[in-house]
Amino acid sequence: MRCLIIGQGIAGSVLAWTLKSRGVSVQLADLQRTNSSSRVAAGIINPVTGKRFVKSWRFDDFYPVAKAVYQGMEQQWGVRIWTDHTILRLLDTPQEANDWSARLGMEGYEQILGQGTTPGSWAGLVQAGAAVGEIKHAARVDFSALLHCQASEFQNSQDFQSGEISMAEAEQVAKEYDAVIFCEGAKGLNNPFFPNLPWQLSKGEALLLQLQSPPDFPLTEILKKHLLLAPLANGLVWAGSSYSWDFEDEQVTPAAQAMLEERLAALLSVPFDIVQRYAAIRPTVKDRRPFLGQSTVHPKMFIFNGLGTKGALLAPYWAGHLAEHVLFSADLDIEVDIRRFAGRL
């Protein structure tokens, strides 16, 4: 079987790796935009979400697949991609601390939540709060390394096309492939082969910063309190992100950047320098479930998109699921099949 994947963000890259591991001949095409959401994101896998500290949707299903796939990439490419982390949740108020303690006692949470006493390696760098919660089985996926290795592999085998493929060109080249799979991120909103999908794109902004008074030892935990701080290589820290549902473009905005800086100043007890500012449009969906499936307009066209803010966790599991559908016509899970919207749009 021959497949063309259009879009080399986290969805396209993981799907390409998954299909190739199943013996499929894969061609990859990408515009290679530096400010795509995959290239801006920190790649965090977090078992719990929101102010109520609820376990992420089907986390127990997705996590082992994600870890196995990313570590498989590490073995193949000889590059560090997956890093286990603890996330330290700084709890602001006694009410938050009480809510956290209540979650600790609930079934299914005992393996992923814990109670801390100090902000770990961040001690002395952050303002004290009411309490510290520990989130276990978290991780960071190095999207930058992954995307670079995947692109290099395809470029070396001359299976990579750099540049944009128009919809007319996609329809023309579809004759040469068994399947053309669109993994375009936010650009999918305007894809005529998948009309009327309920997109709800969101804009996120983030900062790359350097602490002016770094500790003598590496920062090992990810920190979360109103925003998330993820330690990177060379003493850099990713800080983000903002959310905007009403935006004009994908450029950084003064208001969102000022909000991030204000939150950083309230959180950190040491000064910092801003190294870079980021903004990107996330491919988010109204029902917060990915888009997988076959076009009703063209039988050779498929979609793998809408991973939103949890692409690092979701991509490996659903890439395997879509691969089974494309290769063997296996049924798609109704929660992600784009046919779930039939008759409602």
Side-chain angles (χ1 to χ4, degrees):
M1 174 172 272
R2 298 186 72 227
C3 292
L4 171 64
I5 295 176
I6 299 177
Q8 198 238 326
I10 189 62
S13 292
V14 173
L15 180 61
W17 191 88
T18 300
L19 288 171
K20 285 192 70 174
S21 70
R22 285 162 168 75
V24 177
S25 174
V26 179
Q27 300 280 322
L28 193 56
D30 188 71
L31 192 58
Q32 294 187 297
R33 296 168 58 249
T34 57
N35 66 333
S36 69
S37 60
S38 293
R39 288 174 169 81
V40 169
I44 304 300
I45 290 179
N46 184 354
V48 298
T49 59
K51 296 180 179 179
R52 298 179 182 272
F53 317 127
V54 177
K55 184 183 283 190
S56 294
W57 171 56
R58 292 180 60 176
F59 180 80
D60 294 337
D61 295 329
F62 302 152
Y63 177 82
V65 177
K67 188 168 186 175
V69 166
Y70 294 128
Q71 290 186 336
M73 291 178 174
E74 289 182 330
Q75 293 175 4
Q76 178 174 325
W77 295 328
V79 174
R80 182 73 174 269
I81 292 173
W82 173 280
T83 303
D84 290 301
H85 279 287
T86 296
I87 297 177
L88 298 179
R89 183 70 180 252
L90 303 187
L91 306 170
D92 244 352
T93 64
Q95 181 61 53
E96 278 193 332
N98 288 337
D99 292 344
W100 188 270
S101 296
R103 280 289 176 202
L104 285 174
M106 292 185 180
E107 183 179 356
Y109 286 84
E110 62 275 4
Q111 299 299 319
I112 61 172
L113 297 185
Q115 192 74 56
T117 55
T118 70
S121 60
W122 291 87
L125 303 177
V126 296
Q127 305 288 348
V132 178
E134 292 182 352
I135 303 175
K136 307 167 187 177
H137 296 295
R140 191 179 79 83
V141 179
D142 191 334
F143 281 180
S144 178
L146 189 160
L147 298 179
H148 173 75
C149 289
Q150 187 66 286
S152 296
E153 180 179 287
F154 275 82
Q155 288 165 353
N156 291 337
S157 62
Q158 298 185 336
D159 291 326
F160 188 90
Q161 177 178 333
S162 179
E164 187 169 12
I165 294 180
S166 69
M167 294 299 106
E169 291 170 331
E171 188 166 19
Q172 181 64 31
V173 300
K175 301 171 184 177
E176 306 170 16
Y177 297 94
D178 297 290
V180 176
I181 308 172
F182 289 90
C183 306
E184 309 168 281
K187 285 185 61 183
L189 173 70
N190 299 312
N191 190 317
F193 298 115
F194 303 94
N196 304 318
L197 292 178
W199 294 93
Q200 191 175 41
L201 303 183
S202 64
K203 181 177 180 179
E205 303 195 33
L207 298 169
L208 185 67
L209 58 94
Q210 180 88 56
L211 302 179
Q212 291 184 10
S213 302
D216 296 330
F217 43 84
L219 295 171
T220 54
E221 302 95 354
I222 295 170
L223 201 69
K224 185 168 179 60
K225 179 187 174 184
H226 306 309
L227 77 169
L228 186 144
L229 302 183
L232 308 179
N234 303 317
L236 297 173
V237 176
W238 184 95
S241 62
S242 67
Y243 285 83
S244 176
W245 307 101
D246 183 16
F247 51 88
E248 297 180 356
D249 54 41
E250 57 187 359
Q251 305 302 313
V252 296
T253 55
Q257 293 289 315
M259 180 272 290
L260 291 173
E261 290 188 50
E262 289 173 5
R263 290 184 174 180
L264 278 170
L267 174 57
L268 294 172
S269 58
V270 294
F272 56 89
D273 296 314
I274 297 173
V275 178
Q276 193 167 351
R277 300 178 186 274
Y278 301 115
I281 309 301
R282 304 181 184 95
T284 44
V285 182
K286 284 188 177 180
D287 68 358
R288 300 186 181 184
R289 299 292 182 262
F291 290 143
L292 277 73
Q294 185 177 27
S295 170
T296 58
V297 177
H298 194 300
K300 283 192 176 182
M301 306 300 188
F302 294 81
I303 189 171
F304 182 38
N305 208 329
L307 301 181
T309 61
K310 296 187 178 297
L313 176 64
L314 301 182
Y317 183 95
W318 294 117
H321 190 68
L322 182 62
E324 294 298 304
H325 176 68
V326 172
L327 299 180
F328 308 114
S329 299
D331 291 339
L332 288 174
D333 189 318
I334 191 59
E335 284 198 278
V336 299
D337 190 338
I338 55 175
R339 292 181 299 173
R340 69 190 186 270
F341 305 111
R344 292 200 284 145
L345 300 174

